[in-house]
Amino acid sequence: MTLELYTYDTPNGRKISVALEEFGLPYEVKIVDLGKREQFEADFLAISPNGKIPAIIDPDGPDGQRITVFESGAILLYLAEKAGRFLPAKLVERVPVYEWLMWQVGGFGPAPGQVHHFLAQPEGPARDYGLKRFSSETNRLYRVLDQRLAGREFVATVGGPSIADFAILGWAWRHERHEVLFADLPNVAAWYERMMARPAVQRGFAVALA
């Protein structure tokens, strides 16, 4: 049965459209227009109580029962369990996926998201302080990622990507917007090119989310 993806054209939204294309699961996009504050309407809050995109409805969830899932990290874990792909079977091999997925949702998302916010503010001390603080952290996180990818094709697994790669890619996709270039991040640059060359990733970024 077809999943329903409630989302918008943001890094967190793109994580899930990319993942769904990679999983090969049928889905239908339900756009939640953030500019119109549709994320706070009662129907959407019933699916995503925090009023954030993305969220999904799976009419054929566990034991054939309908299930709703919100928060992009939880959605990725759910989809991986459902499809049996992009998450290793052995716990010892899953741990790096868990680590780097949490790294993304806890840092490599919130920090560049704040860069986006402060870049849009009027010039002045508050803007300058916010940009300095969050740009510094964003650049630090990119360096952490570059070190992790030294000698690796993918962030957490060998032989192919995992849901951690999909999560991180959603934000790396906006690297120019948060004023990070790849000239000094050769490992990130190679990983990004490798990920963006995947046909399913291209489809996930091409699907209309707004």
Side-chain angles (χ1 to χ4, degrees):
M1 299 179 70
T2 301
L3 288 88
E4 297 178 4
L5 169 60
Y6 292 79
T7 193
Y8 199 62
D9 192 18
T10 70
N12 286 332
R14 287 295 173 189
K15 289 183 212 175
I16 308 305
S17 63
V18 165
L20 283 166
E21 291 291 343
E22 285 279 3
F23 283 118
L25 294 170
Y27 69 101
E28 179 182 2
V29 172
K30 304 285 189 178
I31 292 173
V32 180
D33 192 329
L34 304 186
K36 296 179 180 178
R37 299 179 63 81
E38 291 178 354
Q39 70 271 33
F40 299 118
E41 294 181 0
D43 287 349
F44 182 67
L45 289 173
I47 304 167
S48 180
N50 197 33
K52 302 285 186 179
I53 62 96
I56 64 168
I57 296 176
D58 184 356
D60 187 23
D63 300 320
Q65 301 297 307
R66 176 183 182 273
I67 189 172
T68 65
V69 188
F70 71 99
E71 292 293 331
S72 61
I75 294 169
L76 288 170
L77 287 166
Y78 173 77
L79 294 175
E81 293 284 358
K82 178 182 177 69
R85 300 182 64 198
F86 302 115
L87 185 63
K90 293 181 179 180
L91 179 59
V92 69
E93 296 174 357
R94 286 184 179 220
V95 169
V97 179
Y98 293 155
E99 291 174 328
W100 288 95
L101 178 60
M102 297 308 121
W103 176 85
Q104 186 282 302
V105 297
F108 192 74
Q114 291 298 318
V115 173
H116 297 175
H117 171 78
F118 281 102
L119 281 171
Q121 302 310 302
E123 292 187 6
R127 179 181 188 272
D128 294 344
Y129 172 78
L131 276 179
K132 181 178 180 180
R133 175 183 174 87
F134 291 107
S135 292
S136 175
E137 176 63 3
T138 295
N139 279 276
R140 186 192 71 82
L141 290 165
Y142 267 104
R143 292 192 297 273
V144 170
L145 181 61
D146 197 67
Q147 291 169 4
R148 173 62 177 179
L149 285 165
R152 289 177 167 271
E153 290 191 340
F154 303 101
V155 174
T157 47
V158 176
S162 72
I163 55 173
D165 292 277
F166 305 149
I168 295 166
L169 185 65
W171 281 93
W173 166 60
R174 289 286 180 90
H175 66 279
E176 292 181 341
R177 180 174 174 183
H178 45 255
E179 300 186 335
V180 173
L181 302 179
F182 289 162
D184 297 324
L185 301 164
N187 302 317
V188 173
W191 166 83
Y192 184 80
E193 182 177 351
R194 188 158 46 247
M195 290 297 297
M196 294 299 284
R198 295 174 64 87
V201 168
Q202 293 174 6
R203 293 194 300 272
F205 279 111
V207 64
L209 299 187

